[in-house]
Amino acid sequence: MAQKAFEFPEELYYDKNHHMWVRKDNSATIVVGIDAIGLDNLGDLAYITLRPEGTVVKKGETVGTLEAAKMTGDVFAPVSGRIIAVNNACVENPGLVNSDAYGKGWLLTMEAVNWEEESSQLVHGDDLEPWIAAEIQRLENQGFDA
Amino acid sequence: MSAAIRLLRLGTVPGWMSQAVYHALAETMHSDRPDTIVVCTPNNPYLCLGYFQHSGDVFDKTALQKAGIPVYKRRIGGGATYLDKDQLFYQFIFNNRHVPVSPEKSYRHFLQVPLETLQHFGLESRLRAVNELEVNGRRIAGIGGGRIGEASVVVGNFLFDFDYETMSRVWRAPCPGYREIAREALRQRVYTLKDCAPQLQPDEVEAELIRRFSAHFNQPVVEGTLTPEESQAIVRWRHKLTDLSETECETSIHRPRPLKIAAGVFVHHGACVLPGRKERYVSVLEQDGRIARIMAQDGLPRRLKEMENHPVPQAWAALEALLVQSGIQVESKTWPQN
């Protein structure tokens, strides 16, 4: 079966457990969204809710809930921190997440409180390519057509 | 993967428990717990909202009080459903690691069993639009799913009979004509085993369903019982299910949505403002990619009826254009933005 091509911008960090992406600039603020494989698995999003600004979460805790194909699932915090802003455009139109995952489809900005330590558990740089390949293989074994 | 799938044949249980059980099993799922299939029937009628639905948007509060039917809100997806003793439930609660990640594949993985059960009885059944079970082209089950903690859940039912009248009565009708259209569509598109195979008894359908589990999942299926921890969790979920408040995330946004009757069948409504600020409503049945029926209040253009049988999305644009040409403003609508 032909493999799908997934876009994974190199400058981003990826949560390998939950297929979330993280954009980090020089400040403590990070931007968070769902990566290409995560979205391919989910299909078209029908609903999304996100926890409000100011909510403090630990890495791996839920920051929202979504529904695709009448199936609900959680949105997970890729790192610990405080939610600074929620992308209400996506809450109002979840299709935006599918159509522009790394751009207008961002979900949250957060103030990361333990970036130095927790970012080492995210996939980035040279680790990216082998992780994507392994992930496609793993999901293929679960009935995933890549 | 664990050695055997646990089967819980609960028989007839209180309505709340028929929902609470799969939530509790999902919540208590961890790596040393077995994948579990629950088969049961509720002993009283109730209504059940999908996780993202709001009771006030979906149900008529007065009609609910009059009917005296409890409403529960589940933690998984799908739309509002009416459930009662004439339905046989199947509920799959499997560890996430044993289930395809994609909702589409997950549904296919589980729904193959009820599908083949229906086919075994000579019924022309198929899976349509990801997760809808049909017989003779009509919906014959309500399906929903979700991931709760470490578990993936898919639930569905066999409709032996269906109380169309009660379901139609409790829907919130945002405008005149809406309920009539919805009732008619429900009768046309939701099917029951009483209609297509009246000789079938719940016991034999349940036996056939269960007979197929082991071969389908390629694992032994062993009847088991609830653990004390699971039983306690079921009681906790009884209370959680009756909490109809918003989803726990405060950023959820209410917007008018169409009423889904079956795959490809939706009842829409539009609120229009006439010159002079008079409010008028139009109800529209969308069926299999076409506008099947329009009911418009007096004051709206009669020519709206000309849109019937026209394909969407073009018909939506034409409908709105006609309203605008008549000096009418569409204040809110459930059909998609053009």
Side-chain angles (χ1 to χ4, degrees):
Chain A
M1 196 174 289
Q3 287 219 330
K4 283 182 188 172
F6 292 108
E7 185 193 357
F8 277 82
E10 284 179 13
E11 71 277 16
L12 304 183
Y13 294 78
Y14 298 90
D15 176 346
K16 54 188 170 189
N17 293 322
H18 303 118
H19 282 282
M20 304 295 295
W21 60 258
V22 178
R23 178 175 287 124
K24 171 86 168 70
D25 56 22
N26 293 329
S27 71
T29 304
I30 59 163
V31 185
V32 175
I34 305 174
D35 76 26
I37 289 182
L39 284 170
D40 193 75
N41 280 324
L42 288 167
D44 292 339
L45 299 184
Y47 299 96
I48 190 159
T49 62
L50 296 164
R51 305 202 86 149
E53 293 161 12
T55 305
V56 175
V57 288
K58 286 185 185 152
K59 174 183 162 60
E61 287 184 346
T62 63
V63 287
T65 314
L66 50 80
E67 182 174 327
K70 286 168 75 174
M71 193 166 282
T72 54
D74 289 321
V75 182
F76 297 94
V79 293
S80 307
R82 186 173 60 87
I83 297 173
I84 296 173
V86 165
N87 186 357
N88 278 318
C90 290
V91 177
E92 204 157 343
N93 174 19
L96 207 53
V97 183
N98 293 98
S99 61
D100 191 9
Y102 299 106
K104 291 176 184 165
W106 64 273
L107 299 179
L108 304 160
T109 61
M110 292 174 67
E111 182 190 1
V113 293
N114 194 13
W115 176 257
E116 287 305 314
E117 189 183 325
E118 291 179 343
S119 63
S120 65
Q121 294 158 38
L122 301 174
V123 184
H124 183 64
D126 291 345
D127 296 335
L128 193 53
E129 211 170 298
W131 171 68
I132 296 167
E135 199 57 6
I136 288 171
Q137 186 63 50
R138 183 180 75 85
L139 294 167
E140 198 172 42
N141 292 340
Q142 283 194 322
F144 174 81
D145 296 328
Chain B
M1 196 175 289
S2 61
I5 295 170
R6 176 176 53 163
L7 172 65
L8 298 175
R9 297 180 78 170
L10 300 183
T12 301
V13 297
W16 66 266
M17 187 171 168
S18 65
Q19 290 296 318
V21 63
Y22 67 82
H23 286 88
L25 293 175
E27 186 187 69
T28 52
M29 169 67 75
H30 49 78
S31 55
D32 63 355
R33 287 289 168 89
D35 294 334
T36 300
I37 304 168
V38 176
V39 181
C40 66
T41 292
N43 67 5
N44 60 286
Y46 66 93
L47 293 152
C48 193
L49 286 163
Y51 182 64
F52 282 94
Q53 292 186 302
H54 306 287
S55 183
D57 294 347
V58 179
F59 297 130
D60 181 318
K61 202 175 167 186
T62 312
L64 277 184
Q65 281 168 348
K66 216 171 179 178
I69 301 174
V71 181
Y72 304 123
K73 186 169 185 172
R74 61 184 183 270
R75 175 64 180 72
I76 60 172
T81 48
Y82 171 85
L83 304 148
D84 70 9
K85 62 176 176 42
D86 292 320
Q87 302 172 24
L88 176 66
F89 292 4
Y90 39 85
Q91 302 167 339
F92 302 96
I93 307 99
F94 279 39
N95 192 293
N96 282 335
R97 289 173 306 159
H98 305 157
V99 177
V101 175
S102 132
E104 188 175 345
K105 285 175 182 151
S106 181
Y107 279 124
R108 210 180 302 148
H109 182 62
F110 291 115
L111 297 181
Q112 192 63 24
V113 194
L115 177 69
E116 286 174 2
T117 301
L118 291 168
Q119 288 167 344
H120 168 82
F121 291 111
L123 298 168
E124 201 176 301
S125 47
R126 65 166 182 160
L127 191 57
R128 184 184 172 191
V130 181
N131 58 5
E132 195 139 307
L133 278 175
E134 286 189 343
V135 168
N136 299 339
R138 294 164 70 182
R139 176 181 185 176
I140 201 155
I143 307 290
R147 290 194 161 218
I148 301 175
E150 290 185 40
S152 284
V153 176
V154 168
V155 300
N157 53 8
F158 290 111
L159 298 179
F160 285 88
D161 201 355
F162 190 72
D163 190 341
Y164 298 94
E165 203 42 49
T166 300
M167 180 84 249
S168 309
R169 212 179 304 133
V170 298
W171 272 325
R172 178 179 163 265
C175 55
Y178 184 92
R179 193 183 309 282
E180 187 186 327
I181 284 184
R183 180 187 286 121
E184 200 178 295
L186 191 68
R187 284 203 175 267
Q188 279 177 3
R189 296 303 290 256
V190 175
Y191 210 23
T192 69
L193 289 168
K194 187 181 165 192
D195 292 326
C196 62
Q199 76 286 1
L200 278 183
Q201 295 302 309
D203 286 355
E204 58 182 318
V205 175
E206 179 175 339
E208 183 58 29
L209 179 79
I210 288 169
R211 195 180 67 77
R212 292 176 173 275
F213 287 145
S214 184
H216 177 76
F217 293 112
N218 197 25
Q219 277 177 271
V221 174
V222 178
E223 272 199 63
T225 54
L226 291 161
T227 66
E229 184 196 1
E230 289 166 344
S231 297
Q232 284 164 15
I234 288 171
V235 175
R236 280 200 305 276
W237 272 97
R238 178 180 191 171
H239 302 291
K240 289 187 191 176
L241 291 168
T242 53
D243 178 5
L244 304 182
S245 57
E246 307 292 294
T247 52
E248 62 193 23
C249 299
E250 290 170 19
T251 53
S252 119
I253 286 176
H254 279 262
R255 63 172 184 273
R257 289 183 181 275
L259 172 66
K260 186 187 169 194
I261 302 289
V265 185
F266 301 91
V267 184
H268 295 272
H269 71 276
C272 308
V273 180
L274 274 57
R277 303 299 302 164
K278 264 189 183 169
E279 263 207 347
R280 288 290 181 269
Y281 291 89
V282 57
S283 303
V284 185
L285 176 65
E286 176 192 349
Q287 196 163 291
D288 303 323
R290 289 180 177 272
I291 289 183
R293 194 169 170 203
I294 295 185
M295 285 181 80
Q297 278 189 288
D298 286 347
L300 292 172
R302 286 174 189 273
R303 284 184 54 212
L304 282 173
K305 290 291 271 184
E306 291 172 15
M307 301 298 154
E308 288 182 352
N309 296 318
H310 284 250
V312 295
Q314 299 91 322
W316 297 128
L319 186 150
E320 284 197 41
L322 181 58
L323 290 168
V324 170
Q325 281 162 19
S326 310
I328 297 165
Q329 200 186 324
V330 181
E331 205 164 58
S332 72
K333 61 189 180 184
T334 60
W335 56 83
Q337 186 67 40
N338 298 302

